[in-house]
Amino acid sequence: MNKFTPTAMNKFTPAKPAGARSVDDITGSRRLRRMRKADWSRRLVQENRLTVDDLIWPIFVVDGRQVREPIAAMPGVFRLSIDLAVKEAERAAKLGIPALATFPNVDISLRDQTGSHILDPDNVINRATRAIKDAVPEIGIITDAALDPFTSHGHDGILRDGIIVNDETVEQVSAAAVIQAAAGADIIAPSDMMDGRIGAIRDALDANGFQEVAIMSYATKFASAFYGPYREAVGTAGLLKGDKKTYYIDHANSDEAVREAEQDIAEGADMLMVKPGLPYLDIIRRLKDEFQMPTFAYQVSGEYSMIKAAGANGWIDGEKAMLESLLAFKRAGCDGILTYFAPEVATMLKG
């Protein structure tokens, strides 16, 4: 096509009112489309890039051997026994994925009101950490010290008379963090949202010789509708009574999220996380601008499942939507993303 002019687009150009300016007059030499005209030029000026180094892969671990249980609400995601989790860790390392985040599905017989099984050094999450570290020492392991996979009620804390008690929960979460660090966890990422937990975990880790173990704070975890498939994955969906609004952040509040992050930084957090991801890009941008801290997003199960379902039904291009959503996190200011798409994306990026 010839150089753009207003008349090149229309056979008949209406007469302009006296004194009206043409497109050329308005834009002058400023034509942003010049750098969009070819693939090479678009790549040359691209502001944000997604790389394999941005990916953290969450996986679900169960007891047994050769167990690969599909999760109905999360197509392509499985609960894995430790032996298969090790094989997936080896695959992740070969793809260049820097770290895994492990989450347990614990048999109901091991759950109680206080989530005491989290304090067992030989529970499934700690055994998985040791096994993965033995086989793939170069990959990072991130563990969650929250109690919800271990409680009989599905809440993230100890339940007393219908109330999640803060300080008793923090004491148990801190003890669990030390046990997880002893098993080989590189980063403790407590998701329970109890007040004071970051400082208590930092003190407990330091007192037990784990000064080098980092803390990724779920600083802004919102009371969200996007967690449903995850709760199926860890086995709490049928247990949970009520909601978690007394300790997760109201999704209407952004100033409160900033205060939460500021408090966690003061208590010793090394990294911040925003959860969920896509509905909270504004929070990611605010935290990055405010604190200039390493900032991560968790593209949670509901986000993953929506893209998968819409792609499977042909309503969207699932692959393109996946990549676009992940790049949105980078554009908002994320240094990395926890995503169930990690191995799929890493394979594409390497290819």
Side-chain angles (χ1 to χ4, degrees), residues 22 24 27 31 35 63 74 87 94 106 118 147 162 171-173 218 222 228-229 238 244 260 285 314 320 329 343:
S22 70
D24 278 322
T27 61
R31 289 184 176 267
M35 298 311 297
D63 274 312
M74 300 178 71
K87 291 186 181 299
K94 289 177 182 176
V106 176
I118 198 173
L147 304 185
E171 183 178 352
Q172 184 149 303
V173 164
Y218 283 67
F222 290 86
K244 302 189 178 188
E260 280 277 7
R285 186 72 265 167
K320 289 181 179 178
F329 294 123

Side-chain angles (χ1 to χ4, degrees), residues 7 30 34 56 67 78 84 89-91 94 105 121 147 173 181 184 201 210 226 232 248 277 293 303 327 341:
T7 55
R30 297 167 300 180
R34 288 191 186 106
I56 298 169
V67 177
F78 302 86
L84 297 188
E90 291 170 343
R91 178 165 74 103
K94 289 177 182 176
N105 183 300
L147 304 185
V173 164
I201 290 172
F210 298 112
F226 287 89
E232 177 188 333
Y248 288 4
M293 287 277 290
E303 298 173 67
L327 194 59
F341 288 119

Side-chain angles (χ1 to χ4, degrees), residues 84-120:
L84 297 188
V86 168
K87 291 186 181 299
E88 293 290 23
E90 291 170 343
R91 178 165 74 103
K94 289 177 182 176
L95 288 169
I97 295 172
L100 306 179
T102 55
F103 298 92
N105 183 300
V106 176
D107 188 86
I108 191 65
S109 65
L110 297 172
R111 304 180 189 225
D112 59 25
Q113 286 288 99
T114 65
S116 61
H117 186 56
I118 198 173
L119 300 177
D120 185 347

Side-chain angles (χ1 to χ4, degrees), residues 79-327:
R79 301 181 195 92
L80 303 169
S81 54
I82 293 172
D83 54 322
L84 297 188
V86 168
K87 291 186 181 299
E88 293 290 23
E90 291 170 343
R91 178 165 74 103
K94 289 177 182 176
L95 288 169
I97 295 172
L100 306 179
T102 55
F103 298 92
N105 183 300
V106 176
D107 188 86
I108 191 65
S109 65
L110 297 172
R111 304 180 189 225
D112 59 25
Q113 286 288 99
T114 65
S116 61
H117 186 56
I118 198 173
L119 300 177
D120 185 347
D122 289 321
N123 66 34
V124 68
I125 208 67
N126 294 322
R127 284 186 283 115
T129 298
R130 289 194 292 269
I132 292 170
K133 274 297 180 185
D134 285 345
V136 200
E138 68 271 24
I139 203 163
I141 301 293
I142 302 171
T143 57
D144 183 0
L147 304 185
D148 51 318
F150 300 93
T151 59
S152 55
H153 44 73
H155 279 284
D156 297 45
I158 295 172
L159 190 64
R160 302 283 187 205
D161 299 322
I163 297 171
I164 301 298
V165 292
N166 192 93
D167 295 356
E168 191 176 346
T169 297
V170 168
E171 183 178 352
Q172 184 149 303
V173 164
S174 301
V178 171
I179 294 168
Q180 290 174 2
D186 300 289
I187 298 174
I188 305 297
S191 68
D192 55 286
M193 290 299 290
M194 297 296 120
D195 288 332
R197 74 202 189 285
I198 300 300
I201 290 172
R202 184 72 273 161
D203 289 346
L205 290 172
D206 291 352
N208 286 274
F210 298 112
Q211 293 90 346
E212 300 304 313
V213 173
I215 299 175
M216 176 185 284
S217 167
Y218 283 67
T220 58
K221 186 176 182 181
F222 290 86
S224 171
F226 287 89
Y227 302 139
Y230 169 88
R231 289 171 182 164
E232 177 188 333
V234 297
T236 62
L239 302 176
L240 187 63
K241 300 292 187 284
D243 55 46
K244 302 189 178 188
K245 292 181 179 179
T246 65
Y247 48 103
Y248 288 4
I249 302 174
D250 187 329
H251 57 250
N253 296 352
S254 58
D255 291 341
E256 182 184 359
V258 174
R259 293 199 303 272
E260 280 277 7
E262 184 175 31
Q263 179 172 303
D264 286 359
I265 293 168
E267 291 180 14
D270 300 285
M271 295 163 275
L272 302 175
M273 187 204 294
V274 177
K275 182 179 181 181
L278 280 179
Y280 299 92
L281 294 178
D282 61 315
I283 306 298
I284 295 168
R285 186 72 265 167
R286 284 195 68 179
L287 297 190
K288 193 65 175 180
D289 288 345
E290 182 79 19
F291 303 114
Q292 293 82 51
M293 287 277 290
T295 304
F296 295 78
Y298 198 140
Q299 186 180 48
V300 298
S301 58
E303 298 173 67
Y304 171 88
S305 296
M306 285 194 304
I307 293 172
K308 278 290 189 181
N313 280 282
W315 299 330
I316 61 173
D317 184 316
E319 186 176 284
K320 289 181 179 178
M322 169 186 71
L323 292 171
E324 184 177 340
S325 68
L326 294 173
L327 194 59

